[in-house]
Amino acid sequence: MPPPTISGLKDLSNPLATPDQLSNSSSSVDGVPLDLERSIRFAGALLTQAAGVLLRLPQETIAQAIVTFTRFWIGSEGGSLRIYSVKDVSAAALYMTAKLSFQPTSPRSVLNVYTLLLSKEASPLWFVNPNGTPEKPDPETYYLSEGGYQSGKLVLFRTETIILRTLGFNTHVALPHTIALTYLQTLGVSKPAVAQRVFEHLNSSLLSPQLLYVTHQPNALAASAIYLAAREVGVKLVDGEWWEVFDCDREDLGFLVVAMQSMEGFAQAEKEKWVNRPIPLVVDDVEAEIERRRMMEEGE
């Protein structure tokens, strides 16, 4: 029995990263420590999610933008954190993805939102503003001047072009969310709590340090999220190794379930690690963090 399909198989699959690409990013080649790279990628994905919400974009568009953002940094041919600022790549990935969707957004809207989210005084994001946001932040702290808009627009367009070139102009992103709903129907699961947990796991996996959306196909992500959600909610699924019907083997299922379960702990550990200082989102701040670590190691 073949797995249910929604359209052509090509539309339901993604280009996956190779083991070499995963172990040799451009950032690591340029001397960015692995744990720092992981933290910055995590913050960049969170930034993209927050910006998408403020821009009132559909979650599907936001998720596709996060996958595009993630792909950009993979492999020695990808972008380096010592050359490109995460904030610029995040904004360009979101702008470009929205532009290709049914709900495009303007450069001004994107830049206004990012100016707020990157404000050291007004941002509601813990990794930008560790001290917390005032109840009524001063509008001057997140005001985008006309000159700032014009220069920001040039950076936005230039970064969009760089992303497209780096990805070989392949902007296709297949998501597991709709596939998961089809699988739930096929399995006869109608409990809303299961579907809700499935979507929560799929959305949190966008932030995974294991880069689940570029290492596994949507069908495997969907099956694994269903397996985990059903177990958490206490819903019994059909007997037998049903996930194999959806072309997901036991090894992938086990890895993905463990990875999805670990997301909450990973996010909490990152917050504790960066509790008193922001995560660097621009090249100069990345350089400063690398230098700070070097000085600490040498006891200067």
Side-chain angles (χ1 to χ4, degrees), residues 48-62 94 98 101-105 109-110 113:
T48 309
Q49 175 70 46
V53 170
L54 289 182
L55 288 164
R56 298 181 179 179
L57 295 174
Q59 180 59 31
E60 178 183 7
T61 300
I62 299 171
L94 192 60
S101 74
F102 293 108
Q103 193 171 328
T105 187
S109 295
V110 171
V113 163

Side-chain angles (χ1 to χ4, degrees), residues 182-190 226 236-238 242-243 246:
T182 303
Y183 289 0
L184 285 170
Q185 292 172 354
T186 302
L187 291 166
V189 179
S190 57
I226 290 171
K236 190 178 186 308
L237 299 175
V238 297
W242 56 266
W243 50 87
F246 303 122

Side-chain angles (χ1 to χ4, degrees), residues 30-110:
D30 284 348
V32 179
L34 179 59
D35 70 301
L36 178 59
E37 182 181 357
R38 186 183 297 121
S39 293
I40 296 173
R41 276 201 316 253
F42 173 62
L46 281 175
L47 175 64
T48 309
Q49 175 70 46
V53 170
L54 289 182
L55 288 164
R56 298 181 179 179
L57 295 174
Q59 180 59 31
E60 178 183 7
T61 300
I62 299 171
Q64 290 173 330
I66 293 175
V67 175
T68 297
F69 168 85
T70 303
R71 287 177 181 170
F72 176 77
W73 307 103
I74 290 175
S76 57
E77 70 279 10
S80 170
L81 292 166
R82 299 188 90 158
I83 298 175
Y84 304 107
S85 292
V86 157
K87 71 175 184 64
D88 296 334
V89 176
S90 168
L94 192 60
Y95 170 71
M96 179 179 71
T97 306
K99 185 167 66 173
L100 297 172
S101 74
F102 293 108
Q103 193 171 328
T105 187
S106 68
R108 188 177 293 276
S109 295
V110 171

